Amino acid sequence: MKSLVNLLIMVVLTALTGCGGSDECVINCEIEGLGNKGIELIYADRGVKRLPFHPVDGKVEMRVDLPRPAMLEAFTLDNRRLFCIIGRNGDHLTVKMKIDDPSSLTVEGNEASASYARITAANDSLLRHGSEDEINALVTREIHAAPGSMASTMLLMNYFHTPGHELRADSLLNTITADARPTWLSGSFASLLGVQLSAAVKNEVPNLAIRTGSDTTVRFNSGMQGYGLLVFNDSRKPDSITSRLRKLRKDIPTRRLAILDISLARDTALWQQAISRDSATWQQAWVPGGVAGQQIRNLSVAAVPFYIVTDSTGRYLYRGRSLYSADTMLRARIQPSPGHAEAREQTDSAKTPAALPAPAQVVREEERHENHAPSGTVKRLRKAPSLPSAGTR
């Protein structure tokens, strides 16, 4: 009798031990064309974890102990991304795809992973070859279409280009419902985004005083005009940017819009060479140090070209790398009269002086340069015309 009891205990213990792995996250993969090449599964769980697996003829069963849910990404050993899923213990997922055709990806097992696979497969070409603006637009559409899906959070984290679009990324993150962006999934992304969104970027554009060489300073005070457009570029500024700026300047009078074109070229020689060809009708300046310059860092400009639109309170209306988007926003808000800028100038000039704020502060200033002039004299510079006052909206 005692032997029988011991045998029953051993059977129960064996059964319990055998079931220990049943609570793992199980991922069955069938990847046509992969052969016997290895796969690495990467995920975060109190640090970055990397698990290697060895398929046979493209098939492999991956078991992962995930007591907490996690986002897992699979890569080949030569760093080619295969798929991305959400998993936790108890999940059983099936992944199928062709190694040379990411658009063939299908995932079954949970809603977030399946939806994410459908979106990335359907838009594979755009996600791999599209422009920054096109990819961000796709992510934005998908988030607005499904704010309650974790797939939206996965798209935002994996594909949205945040540099220059921090405010938009923050807005999209908050568009996603709280249950679809749990801390374990979005926490690292939100923390990084918070660093990028400095207090200066969230609030007002700081005043600028940019020395453009040995004899000139350009000032920009965002609170002293109706709207402001800051343009950041380098010596490679394409003609399309110059053409759009010229049309914007022609269509919208200076009473309504101040434009400051700031070059981050390596040196003044490159800048002078660039501006000698564009016959600009807006203010231009050069800042040493590129994006690493202190004033540029204060504006969180990560790369060029880059555009910032401000209103009369100094509030950011747009931050990003699309001049088309900045142009569209300005035209929608200012709504210039159809036709030519002269008609709008006449309308604005007819307003009483009391209705106009102080003159716009994108101006050139005279500077004293005793070090460059003979003793007892002051070298005076030609003063560029100041911009007129900003009209009321």
Side-chain angles (χ1 to χ4, degrees):
M1 183 69 181
K2 185 176 180 180
S3 297
L4 181 59
V5 170
N6 288 338
L7 180 60
L8 288 173
I9 292 173
M10 289 179 64
V11 169
V12 171
L13 289 174
T14 301
L16 290 174
T17 303
C19 292
S22 65
D23 286 337
E24 294 176 320
C25 177
V26 181
I27 309 159
N28 288 297
C29 294
E30 185 175 333
I31 304 176
E32 183 179 327
L34 180 63
N36 299 330
K37 297 178 182 177
I39 293 178
E40 189 173 49
L41 205 60
I42 302 175
Y43 64 99
D45 181 19
R46 298 177 181 175
V48 177
K49 304 289 182 67
R50 296 174 179 268
L51 298 179
F53 294 91
H54 304 283
V56 176
D57 294 331
K59 298 179 180 180
V60 62
E61 181 184 83
M62 299 186 284
R63 290 179 173 269
V64 188
D65 183 23
L66 295 173
R68 290 166 294 278
M71 183 172 72
L72 306 96
E73 293 188 271
F75 295 84
T76 61
L77 295 184
D78 58 359
N79 208 36
R80 179 191 297 192
R81 178 186 284 184
L82 295 174
F83 58 84
C84 179
I85 57 174
I86 294 289
R88 67 180 306 168
N89 284 349
D91 282 352
H92 290 260
L93 296 102
T94 301
V95 177
K96 294 183 179 181
M97 66 179 297
K98 298 177 182 178
I99 188 68
D100 293 324
D101 183 13
S103 66
S104 64
L105 173 67
T106 62
V107 176
E108 297 176 357
N110 60 50
E111 183 276 334
S113 301
S115 295
Y116 181 81
R118 283 196 300 271
I119 295 169
T120 54
N123 298 280
D124 170 65
S125 179
L126 187 150
L127 291 172
R128 285 191 294 139
H129 306 297
S131 68
E132 179 179 297
D133 286 345
E134 290 172 331
I135 294 172
N136 283 0
L138 169 66
V139 173
T140 300
R141 288 196 302 272
E142 294 296 339
I143 289 175
H144 284 294
S149 172
M150 286 188 192
S152 294
T153 305
M154 296 167 71
L155 282 170
L156 181 64
M157 295 173 62
N158 291 336
Y159 286 105
F160 192 85
H161 295 266
T162 57
H165 304 278
E166 296 89 351
L167 293 173
R168 186 176 172 192
D170 184 59
S171 175
L172 288 172
L173 183 61
N174 286 284
T175 297
I176 300 171
T177 59
D179 59 329
R181 50 175 171 88
T183 301
W184 60 262
L185 177 59
S186 64
S188 59
F189 178 83
S191 296
L192 178 60
L193 185 60
V195 172
Q196 295 173 338
L197 279 169
S198 64
V201 173
K202 287 183 178 179
N203 296 319
E204 296 181 356
V205 180
N207 295 335
L208 301 176
I210 301 173
R211 190 71 170 267
T212 63
S214 61
D215 56 5
T216 309
T217 295
V218 170
R219 294 189 182 278
F220 181 88
N221 186 332
S222 58
M224 302 302 289
Q225 70 257 338
Y227 292 91
L229 172 62
L230 294 174
V231 179
F232 301 88
N233 59 72
D234 58 18
S235 58
R236 299 166 298 176
K237 182 171 66 175
D239 292 340
S240 58
I241 292 179
T242 301
S243 298
R244 186 175 287 276
L245 287 175
R246 184 175 289 110
K247 190 173 190 312
L248 192 63
R249 177 73 293 158
K250 178 182 178 182
D251 293 346
I252 302 177
T254 53
R255 295 178 184 273
R256 293 298 183 99
L257 173 66
I259 300 176
L260 177 55
D261 187 355
I262 301 173
S263 173
L264 305 181
R266 292 191 305 273
D267 55 54
T268 54
L270 290 174
W271 173 55
Q272 293 289 352
Q273 182 181 5
I275 66 174
S276 66
R277 301 189 299 265
D278 61 19
S279 61
T281 55
W282 53 90
Q283 296 287 344
Q284 295 177 298
W286 172 78
V287 174
V291 294
Q294 182 60 53
Q295 294 193 88
I296 306 305
R297 290 207 308 271
N298 290 342
L299 293 166
S300 295
V301 175
V304 293
F306 196 84
Y307 309 94
I308 293 176
V309 176
T310 69
D311 65 10
S312 59
T313 68
R315 184 168 58 96
Y316 286 93
L317 298 179
Y318 173 79
R319 288 175 47 82
R321 303 190 64 185
S322 170
L323 180 55
Y324 172 80
S325 297
D327 185 321
T328 302
M329 171 174 284
L330 284 165
R331 292 179 186 277
R333 286 177 172 268
I334 299 176
Q335 298 177 340
S337 303
H340 300 290
E342 289 79 14
R344 191 56 178 264
E345 289 278 12
Q346 292 173 3
T347 301
D348 288 333
S349 62
K351 296 176 181 178
T352 62
L356 301 176
Q361 292 298 303
V362 183
V363 300
R364 293 183 180 273
E365 297 185 333
E366 293 183 334
E367 296 274 332
R368 287 181 176 268
H369 294 283
E370 290 84 354
N371 294 336
H372 301 285
S375 178
T377 66
V378 176
K379 182 178 179 181
R380 297 183 63 82
L381 304 173
R382 182 174 62 86
K383 186 176 181 181
S386 298
L387 297 179
S389 302
T392 56
R393 293 177 58 192

